[in-house]
Amino acid sequence: MDSYAIAIGSNRPGRHGAPADEVRAAIAALDGVSAVAPIVGSAPLGPSLRRYANSVVLVDSGLSPPGMLARLKAIERAFGRRRGRRWGSRVIDLDIVLWSGGCWHDARLTVPHVAFRERAFVLGPLAQVAPGWRDPVSGRSVRQLRHLVDRARPRP
């Protein structure tokens, strides 16, 4: 069995309700969930104006990274997600952030997720469930990466 850290986000209501309800429903749709971070709110990236509900879950699975990606895309489709504008509003977004096997790269998937190190809305929840998990690229723990992002954010 491998472990995956899956980031979950929603900023558009869907058939399950408000964005936080969509996140909870996506968590329920995943098999092998071993840990769930609290749902947090975050400002959108890019052109979307709606705030996001975000969480991270740990999933234990016998699927390979491409198999896990296929499973996540199937859940997104079942929730009504359609391919569209990058960073636009979405009912659900499921991303593989980390994999216990280390790194993976092919034409469709790169693990670790290329941008997770700069995203407080991923690192905050991830630090709740896997603070000691090490990024196989930088060698830093999730706790350390979160601290670096927190220090880099401008203060009001």
Side-chain angles (χ1 to χ4, degrees):
M1 289 290 255
D2 287 321
S3 293
Y4 292 88
I6 309 295
I8 305 173
S10 174
N11 74 335
R12 196 173 86 208
R15 66 181 64 121
H16 302 99
D21 297 320
E22 294 296 326
V23 169
R24 283 188 278 279
I27 292 167
L30 288 164
D31 295 325
V33 173
S34 60
V36 179
I39 296 173
V40 298
S42 67
L45 294 176
S48 182
L49 299 176
R50 296 179 170 130
R51 288 186 57 81
Y52 270 85
N54 299 97
S55 185
V56 171
V57 297
L58 301 183
V59 171
D60 297 324
S61 176
L63 294 173
S64 67
M68 180 58 74
L69 178 65
R71 177 69 185 125
L72 298 179
K73 294 302 174 193
I75 292 170
E76 288 179 347
R77 283 190 303 277
F79 275 61
R81 170 132 184 223
R82 302 292 174 255
R83 301 310 304 171
R85 165 173 80 170
R86 184 176 179 168
W87 293 333
S89 294
R90 56 199 59 184
V91 172
I92 201 71
D93 187 29
L94 302 168
D95 291 321
I96 300 171
V97 177
L98 292 168
W99 168 52
S100 61
C103 297
W104 179 276
H105 180 77
D106 65 21
R108 295 194 65 223
L109 177 64
T110 299
V111 180
H113 189 283
V114 296
F116 92 98
R117 295 169 198 88
E118 294 86 40
R119 294 183 172 171
F121 62 86
V122 172
L123 290 169
L126 184 56
Q128 295 283 318
V129 294
W133 195 332
R134 292 209 172 269
D135 171 11
V137 175
S138 71
R140 291 187 169 113
S141 71
V142 167
R143 182 184 301 110
Q144 290 169 323
L145 292 169
R146 180 180 182 207
H147 179 71
L148 290 172
V149 166
D150 286 347
R151 282 188 24 202
R153 284 194 304 194
R155 301 287 180 214

